Amino acid sequence: MNPSRFWQGRERYTVFDTAYGSGARAAALIAAWRNDPERPARLHIVALGEGLLPGFHRIPQPEPEVTLDLLNAPLDAALAQLAARIDFVQLQGLRGPNTGFARGLARLAAADARLAFDWLEQEQVAALMAQGFVFDKGGARFASRKPRPPLAPVPARQAVVIGAGLAGCAAAERLCARGWEVTLVERHAGPAREASGNLAGIFMPLLSKDDNIPTRLTRAAYLYALRYWERLGGIGRAIEGAQCGVMQLARDAAHAQASRAIAASGQYPRAFAEWLEAPAAAGLLGLPAPDGAWLFRSGGWARPGSVCEAMLDACGTRLTRRFGSGSVHLARVGEEWEVRGADGAPIARAATVVLASGADTPDIAQAARLPLAALRGQVTHLDAATLPRLPFVLCREAYLTPAAGGIACAGATYDLDPDPRLRAASQDENLARLRALIAQPGAGADAPLAGRVGFRCVAPDRLPLVGALPDFEGAGATERLRDVARHPGLYSLLGYASRGLIWAPLCAELLVSRLENAPLPLETSLVDALDPARFVLRARRTGRVQTTLAPD
């Protein structure tokens, strides 16, 4: 049974395949889609794949109308964590007693979804029939009389994005790639003037023994960002930076021992994360590494402003820039939001608005109750000729980048005050950490006060806020995320803390997928963990909105 027999006239068609294998079947399906004049406007392929790190992997394709998701998880677990409406199912290699997948397929199946298979046990056929699948000699189809939950209507593809840092530029690019007309509103005269304006941002994954939510999110976002940047032209080419690798020194002997346990578990291949004992790490670095180090060979650094520029260039003519707008506020006008300047004059208007305004977001009334903090970060700029020549980005409690334009960046501080000026005390803090990092007590001793101050937007749990903005006043007594009242058409991409460089592309992809009712690129447990409405539920349980920051 060929999926292309059933997709004519569809706006969207989603295929789920239990065996990606070499990718030949997916490639043939995409080729058939390209060559079919009656093809659906959008094709989504979701497949179980091996040889990948655990979790969901969205693989960017040449055509933005095609989506490929590879899931490295057992079938039952993958179905339980998948958010999609499936039109065609390809079951392959399901020999054995497992029947638990039938319920998961039925939950995700669209009305009249088709099912093809190479072999099914009698128990599996019975389980599928019990869930509403009807079999004939050509395969099966989903004929359950249980009503399918209706999908929310896709809004008119016009949006306003507020904020032209990494979060906002990624949102604009992902929306424009899906055919949206976007107006990007920025208070400054150009993009990347706030926290995204540093000379260098580091990209690297996060490791943990228990593979917790921050680790899983950061891994998925890091891998997606590497693929995404290649589509934009690549680090070191279209984007200023270098995929030179990142070496993360162990903090102490206890941290080294925990790292050895992670390495011994075998959950991370060496190409992704390699643990090096002290002699090997020092030999590669050319500096002491007394407790060993992790080496992330695909990591590196990039200038965030150049990433923003590459994303905006990719938007093409669908993007309208409204830069230099100053402070803005929102007003509800009929079924739309109107973005107004400080003088009340309208700047832009649409039914869909995305807040990607970072530390300035609490100034917008509809977002004022979100528990966001602005953490001051001062980066120190140093003459690279006065420092060791690094083959990698080096980090521990602090970081040091290789030279770019004769400057090395060291930092950054985490301060709770709003002072935007460079100050000597913060530079002294950065230099003290730098000296410990490179084991050179005199490093930077005569350095002039130079660098940059930015303010990170941080939530108490250190996770981003991705999704429909909650209405705290109208939340009621619900205990479920899906029942929390939302401001209609108002969404957030906020709280990226120090990881905006790698979180921004995947978070934007997640939000746009939700707007389009498309398969989501992350497990539902991660999607829920990022939902801004989580703070409504926490406020109800504790009697107050959490405003303090969780420890790192």
Side-chain angles (χ1 to χ4, degrees):
M1 190 186 299
N2 190 327
S4 63
R5 289 174 50 197
F6 307 101
W7 68 26
Q8 286 78 12
R10 303 284 193 96
E11 170 65 21
R12 174 180 291 106
Y13 203 75
T14 300
V15 175
F16 179 79
D17 193 333
T18 61
Y20 181 73
S22 67
R25 189 157 51 227
L29 186 59
I30 294 171
W33 175 86
R34 289 192 186 109
N35 295 323
D36 187 349
E38 298 184 53
R39 64 180 179 264
R42 287 170 171 78
L43 173 65
H44 303 268
I45 301 174
V46 183
L48 300 188
E50 298 177 357
L52 300 166
L53 287 160
F56 285 26
H57 301 255
R58 177 149 293 184
I59 314 297
Q61 299 296 301
E63 298 96 344
E65 300 86 1
V66 178
T67 301
L68 174 61
D69 289 328
L70 300 182
L71 319 183
N72 184 2
L75 175 57
D76 292 9
L79 292 172
Q81 290 291 314
L82 180 61
R85 187 65 60 85
I86 298 172
D87 300 294
F88 191 97
V89 179
Q90 177 68 56
L91 298 178
Q92 186 172 11
L94 297 187
R95 298 178 185 273
N98 176 27
T99 60
F101 67 88
R103 184 181 296 273
L105 280 182
R107 180 182 67 86
L108 300 172
D112 204 38
R114 305 292 171 143
L115 186 150
F117 54 91
D118 61 343
W119 173 269
L120 287 174
E121 303 286 351
Q122 289 185 348
E123 296 85 354
Q124 293 169 334
V125 172
L128 287 164
M129 292 178 65
Q131 294 297 327
F133 286 90
V134 176
F135 284 76
D136 57 35
K137 63 181 180 180
R141 64 183 181 88
F142 188 63
S144 172
R145 294 185 179 181
K146 295 180 181 179
R148 300 285 83 191
L151 294 174
V154 176
R157 289 187 170 92
Q158 297 177 328
V160 175
V161 177
I162 300 177
L166 286 164
C169 292
E173 191 281 324
R174 290 289 76 207
L175 286 164
C176 288
R178 302 286 178 85
W180 289 59
E181 301 292 326
V182 177
T183 300
L184 181 60
V185 177
E186 166 57 46
R187 62 180 300 182
H188 296 289
R193 298 295 176 88
E194 293 284 345
S196 299
N198 287 346
L199 291 183
I202 297 172
F203 53 93
M204 58 183 281
L206 180 66
L207 306 181
S208 66
K209 191 172 182 179
D210 61 352
D211 207 31
N212 54 38
I213 284 175
T215 300
R216 288 157 51 203
L217 170 65
T218 303
R219 179 173 66 237
Y222 168 75
L223 294 171
Y224 179 78
L226 295 180
R227 300 175 184 121
Y228 174 79
W229 294 331
E230 278 300 306
R231 300 296 311 168
L232 292 179
I235 300 291
R237 301 187 299 278
I239 295 170
E240 182 181 340
Q243 200 168 353
C244 54
V246 175
M247 181 173 283
Q248 182 183 30
L249 299 179
R251 293 187 299 272
D252 50 34
H255 184 209
Q257 191 60 32
S259 297
R260 291 186 190 101
I262 293 172
S265 71
Q267 60 183 317
Y268 300 119
R270 292 175 63 187
F272 177 79
E274 181 181 0
W275 171 253
L276 301 172
E277 294 295 345
L284 286 176
L285 182 61
L287 292 170
D291 295 298
W294 284 104
L295 179 60
F296 306 108
R297 294 188 182 275
S298 295
W301 68 273
R303 183 171 66 84
S306 72
V307 180
C308 290
E309 291 158 8
M311 292 189 288
L312 295 184
D313 287 345
C315 292
T317 59
R318 291 194 173 99
L319 178 67
T320 299
R321 307 182 193 209
R322 295 279 186 264
F323 291 177
S325 64
S327 298
V328 300
H329 63 277
L330 293 173
R332 189 73 176 163
V333 180
E335 297 298 312
E336 295 184 318
W337 292 101
E338 189 169 80
V339 182
R340 297 174 179 172
D343 59 358
I347 297 172
R349 188 168 171 174
T352 300
V353 172
V354 179
L355 299 182
S357 37
D360 295 327
T361 302
D363 295 336
I364 296 175
Q366 292 80 3
R369 292 191 62 184
L370 293 175
L372 299 172
L375 283 186
R376 179 183 181 275
Q378 180 170 323
V379 178
T380 296
H381 296 166
L382 297 165
D383 181 353
T386 66
L387 298 169
R389 184 174 181 178
L390 295 180
F392 317 109
V393 175
L394 184 62
C395 64
R396 191 166 55 197
E397 292 88 352
Y399 67 82
L400 178 65
T401 64
I407 295 174
C409 297
T413 62
Y414 281 80
D415 311 312
L416 287 172
D417 65 86
D419 185 3
R421 298 169 298 177
L422 289 172
R423 60 189 184 212
S426 293
Q427 176 144 316
D428 290 344
E429 180 182 337
N430 284 337
L431 292 177
R433 291 178 175 174
L434 167 67
R435 290 162 186 153
L437 185 67
I438 63 175
Q440 293 190 4
D446 300 320
L449 182 61
R452 189 178 185 279
V453 174
F455 291 87
R456 314 170 186 91
C457 179
V458 184
D461 57 8
R462 306 278 180 170
L463 292 174
L465 284 68
V466 182
L469 206 67
D471 181 352
F472 279 82
E473 304 302 326
T478 181
E479 291 294 329
R480 299 186 300 183
L481 282 172
R482 66 186 182 191
D483 295 331
V484 173
R486 315 285 176 138
H487 290 288
L490 190 56
Y491 302 88
S492 68
L493 290 170
L494 300 167
Y496 288 4
S498 300
R499 299 188 184 275
L501 192 61
I502 57 174
W503 280 355
L506 184 60
C507 288
E509 177 73 6
L510 170 59
L511 179 59
V512 175
S513 297
R514 296 202 79 158
L515 290 172
E516 297 248 314
N517 293 323
L520 300 187
L522 281 173
E523 303 97 309
T524 55
S525 58
L526 288 179
V527 173
D528 289 348
L530 308 186
D531 193 322
R534 66 189 188 267
F535 296 110
V536 173
L537 302 188
R538 293 176 193 179
R540 181 170 298 110
R541 295 176 190 132
T542 63
R544 62 185 177 85
V545 176
Q546 182 182 358
T547 56
T548 56
L549 295 177
D552 284 329

